[in-house]
Structures are given as structure tokens and as C-alpha cells.
Amino acid sequence: MIGHILKLIWNKKGSNALMIIEIFLSFLVLFFVLAYVLFNLERTTAPMGFETVDRWMVRLDNLGVLDSAEKVTTLKNLEENLLSFEEIEELSFTNNMVPFGGSTWSTGNDDNDFEYHCYIVFVDYKLESTLGLNVIEGRWYNEEDIIAPVKTLVINKAFADKYFPEKSMIDSTIIFQEEDHKIIGIVDAYRYKGEFEEDYPTFLLNNDFGDNHSTVLLKMKPGTPSSFEEKLSVAANRSTNRTGNVIINLEKERKEDSRESWMMFIALLSVCCFLCINVALGLFGVLWYNISKRKSEIGLRQALGAHGIDITKQFILEIMFLTMVGLALGIFFAVQVPLLKLTEYPDKMFYQAIAYASLIILTLVFICALFPSIQASKITPANSLHED
């Protein structure tokens, strides 16, 4: 039967070539979309490094214009007033590099006999308990670190893995801003730019109290209602003598920040579904047309003793063989992406995308071929002769 099928396919190589090209192009579209979606979905399952549930944030209104003494006094007054609320369990002052804030401060140098580049996030010793950071090695800052004779530094795991793989960085010294900094701790992650952003090498730098004057991060009592925002706003405005302070719920901000990425995924997957539906309709129509044009061939095979199952298998094998040819071409081009390292995506994402795209195409083609092939097996010699 295989030889007969190959001969039939070769005799109709013109129309079959179009079907192979259609499957080839459909595979490539599915492959690239699935690779992109799989890569970004894996990021959503990776740890962000901090909690967002029951965490709020107060954007302070331009306290940077105050002189140093007045600024410290204002911040201490604000801290005291906020902690007087039973709804607020912890708070931490920081600068503009806050979760989902969109601000970035990066640095890099080659003073350490190697070149590095990383983000800088300004923190205080209360950030760990406020946002629930996960210190996986060493320790977090304490009150004494800000006045310690040797400056201390906490880094994220991405920095350690990239620049010091398979080596403990605790108590190591790194030159930053022309000063020695002793690494005292490593957090698992701090993806403050969003859950779809990569875990980029980051310094979490202990900052002077008066310099962290842009934002207050709050750990709220579980179940605190949104109506508390009004009380919080009044207290913040009274403490800072400003009316432009903004209250932000971190969990809502996380969802809002991710919405655009999710909409992109939905749009891409919708395009793929539309493509698959069109391919399915096209295949179904072509197969139905081919069967109607080949009734005499089917009737002759039936007269020669072929069973219905033989007819069904013939048509299914024909279309599956063409599909395998189209997939083989697609897979050949797809594997060049990881083999040639054309992107920074992990290789496994591309191989997973190849497997999923191939499975989708094969399943789709088999379903489209099954019904027309079963109908073809029901054609009798008498029916084919009658129509001829």
C-alpha cells in the first residue's frame, strides 16, 4: 500500500506541493508563537522575590526639595503616624525603584577584573520584613550596617549565577562606586519591574534614611479594606504637608502591569487558532473534493476486493504523509534557531515549541482527514459506476 500511496502522491505533486507549503508555513507560525508564549509563561511561574498581597505603597509628593534635616524630620513623623494604625504592620522607605514603578537605575564597571552590569535598588533594613523577601544565603541588612566601617551589600541570585557561578559570594568584596562592599546576603529574586520581566542581576543597596524619600512600602493587616485608603491619604498628607501623595495597592498594580502582556498572548493565540481553523477548513475541503473526483478509483478498488478500512487507511496515510513532509521541512528550519543561538531564549523552549506545534498540526490533520476518509470507504462500485 505504501508504494501505491507514494505513486498517487507523485502523480498529483502540483496540488500536493501547495498542501505541503501550507502545512510548513502553519507550523512555522505556531512554532514561533508557542516559543514566545512558553518563554514568557515560564517567567510568570518564577519567583518575583517579594509579596504583593496585602502590600500597599504611598508615592510621596516631592519631598526631595526639603533640606536634609527637614526631610529626616518629616519622614520620621510620617513613619510614626503610619505605624500608629493597627492596619499597618510594617513599613519601609525607598526611592523611585519600586515594584511596577517603571524606573530603572543601572550601573556597571570593570574594576573587579571583570565587567559587570546590573540594576540598583535602594532599600532600607525593613524592606525584607515589609515585602517578604527571601534571603537564600547570608543575611539581610540590620540597623548597624548603615554606619559599619565596611560598606555592605545584598545581591540577587541572578547576579551571583551570572558572574560567580558555582561559588559562594558571602563575605566576598566587590568594588562599587570606587568603594569596597562586602556581600552579606543573597535573595532569590527581586523582579520589581514586573512578573514578565527577566530576573536581571541586581544590587539591593542599603541607603541612608533621608535619601529614601520617594516611596513608603506598607505591609497591611490581612483583609484591610480599600476604604482605609482615605485614612491613609489623610495621615500621609498631614505628616508631609503635601496633598499629592498617591496610594497604590501592589496586588492591583501587579495585575494592571501584566495586563498588556496577557492581552498580547491572547491576541497571538487567537491568531494561531484562526490559522488552525482555516487550515482545517482548507484540508477538509481539499480532501472532500479529492474523494468526489476519485470515486471511480475507490469503486475499482472495492471491486478488486479492498475493504472499507483499506480505503480509509489509504486516504489517511496520504494526507499524513504529506503532513510529515511539511513538518520535516518546518522542523529543519525551526531547529536552526537553538542550534545557531539566534536568540537568548533557553534552547528547551524551542524544542518544546517544536513538539507542541508538531502535535497540534498532526492532530488537526488527522481529525480533518478522518471523516472524509470514512465517507470514502462507504462508496460502493455500483455507486461509482452510476455516477460515472
Side-chain angles (χ1 to χ4, degrees):
M1 178 181 286
I2 299 298
H4 176 69
I5 290 174
L6 292 176
K7 187 179 294 185
L8 289 173
I9 291 174
W10 178 255
N11 290 337
K12 297 182 178 181
K13 51 185 176 291
S15 59
N16 289 335
L18 293 176
M19 188 176 296
I20 290 173
I21 292 173
E22 180 183 19
I23 293 170
F24 165 72
L25 294 176
S26 300
F27 170 83
L28 288 183
V29 172
L30 274 175
F31 163 71
F32 284 112
V33 171
L34 288 175
Y36 175 79
V37 170
L38 287 172
F39 177 71
N40 284 279
L41 286 180
E42 185 173 83
R43 284 184 173 178
T44 65
T45 62
M48 293 189 66
F50 58 91
E51 300 292 334
T52 58
V53 177
D54 296 320
R55 265 67 174 187
W56 293 10
M57 180 168 62
V58 183
R59 289 276 200 173
L60 300 177
D61 182 18
N62 199 24
L63 295 186
V65 300
L66 304 177
D67 60 52
S68 299
E70 188 178 2
K71 191 188 306 177
V72 170
T73 301
T74 301
L75 292 176
K76 286 188 177 298
N77 183 42
L78 175 62
E79 180 180 25
E80 182 179 349
N81 289 336
L82 293 182
L83 289 177
S84 66
F85 291 106
E86 63 177 15
E87 289 87 353
I88 299 176
E89 297 182 348
E90 300 276 356
L91 63 76
S92 172
F93 288 94
T94 185
N95 216 306
N96 288 318
M97 277 59 71
V98 294
F100 322 115
S103 298
T104 301
W105 192 333
S106 61
T107 187
N109 63 52
D110 56 2
D111 296 336
N112 299 274
D113 298 327
F114 68 92
E115 185 175 358
Y116 72 84
H117 191 273
C118 65
Y119 292 152
I120 302 175
V121 178
F122 296 101
V123 302
D124 65 11
Y125 71 95
K126 294 182 179 180
L127 184 69
E128 179 194 19
S129 57
T130 301
L131 289 188
L133 304 187
N134 182 24
V135 180
I136 59 175
E137 192 174 352
R139 66 173 178 85
W140 184 251
Y141 297 111
N142 56 40
E143 291 185 78
E144 289 73 32
D145 283 317
I146 200 69
I147 58 173
V150 177
K151 291 185 179 295
T152 53
L153 181 64
V154 173
I155 62 176
N156 69 338
K157 187 174 182 293
F159 186 92
D161 289 344
K162 183 173 183 178
Y163 297 109
F164 298 92
E166 301 179 359
K167 178 183 177 182
S168 176
M169 289 298 298
I170 300 302
D171 294 330
S172 298
T173 299
I174 190 169
I175 300 174
F176 170 62
Q177 294 181 341
E178 301 181 351
E179 291 186 277
D180 289 343
H181 286 69
K182 185 174 73 171
I183 297 175
I184 61 171
I186 300 175
V187 297
D188 62 344
Y190 194 71
R191 296 191 296 135
Y192 71 98
K193 296 185 69 177
E195 61 182 334
F196 286 98
E197 296 293 327
E198 67 174 312
D199 189 13
Y200 197 77
T202 303
F203 286 170
L204 288 87
L205 190 64
N206 196 12
N207 213 13
D208 289 327
F209 181 75
D211 293 332
N212 289 337
H213 53 75
S214 299
T215 310
V216 186
L217 295 165
L218 306 173
K219 179 182 179 182
M220 309 301 296
K221 184 178 179 180
T224 300
S226 57
S227 59
F228 180 70
E229 290 184 15
E230 184 177 355
K231 292 183 181 179
L232 181 59
S233 178
V234 170
N237 293 344
R238 186 189 309 118
S239 301
T240 60
N241 291 320
R242 298 284 195 279
T243 58
N245 302 309
V246 179
I247 314 298
I248 298 171
N249 185 306
L250 279 188
E251 178 63 13
K252 292 180 180 178
E253 192 73 3
R254 179 190 66 81
K255 294 178 180 178
E256 184 66 27
D257 181 76
S258 303
R259 182 174 300 171
E260 185 176 341
S261 297
W262 284 114
M263 290 180 65
M264 174 67 73
F265 293 159
I266 293 172
L268 288 173
L269 292 175
S270 298
V271 170
C272 283
C273 289
F274 180 75
L275 174 66
C276 290
I277 291 172
N278 277 275
V279 170
L281 292 175
L283 288 173
F284 194 85
V286 168
L287 288 171
W288 198 266
Y289 177 76
N290 286 342
I291 289 171
S292 66
K293 301 293 286 186
R294 295 169 63 180
K295 285 186 176 180
S296 58
E297 174 194 335
I298 295 169
L300 180 59
R301 288 205 63 200
Q302 294 271 28
L304 293 174
H307 298 288
I309 189 65
D310 298 321
I311 304 298
T312 300
K313 286 195 292 187
Q314 175 188 333
F315 281 96
I316 291 178
L317 286 174
E318 280 186 34
I319 189 62
M320 294 305 288
F321 182 84
L322 293 174
T323 302
M324 293 301 296
V325 173
L327 288 179
L329 288 173
I331 291 172
F332 172 78
F333 286 100
V335 296
Q336 304 308 311
V337 178
L339 291 178
L340 298 178
K341 304 294 183 184
L342 298 180
T343 73
E344 296 182 356
Y345 285 17
D347 292 348
K348 69 172 185 176
M349 295 296 174
F350 294 108
Y351 295 123
Q352 288 176 352
I354 288 172
Y356 291 143
S358 300
L359 182 61
I360 291 172
I361 294 291
L362 287 171
T363 303
L364 185 67
V365 170
F366 179 79
I367 293 173
C368 291
L370 185 61
F371 184 71
S373 299
I374 292 174
Q375 291 299 109
S377 67
K378 296 179 180 179
I379 297 175
T380 64
N383 288 337
S384 61
L385 288 173
H386 174 76
E387 293 193 13
D388 284 343

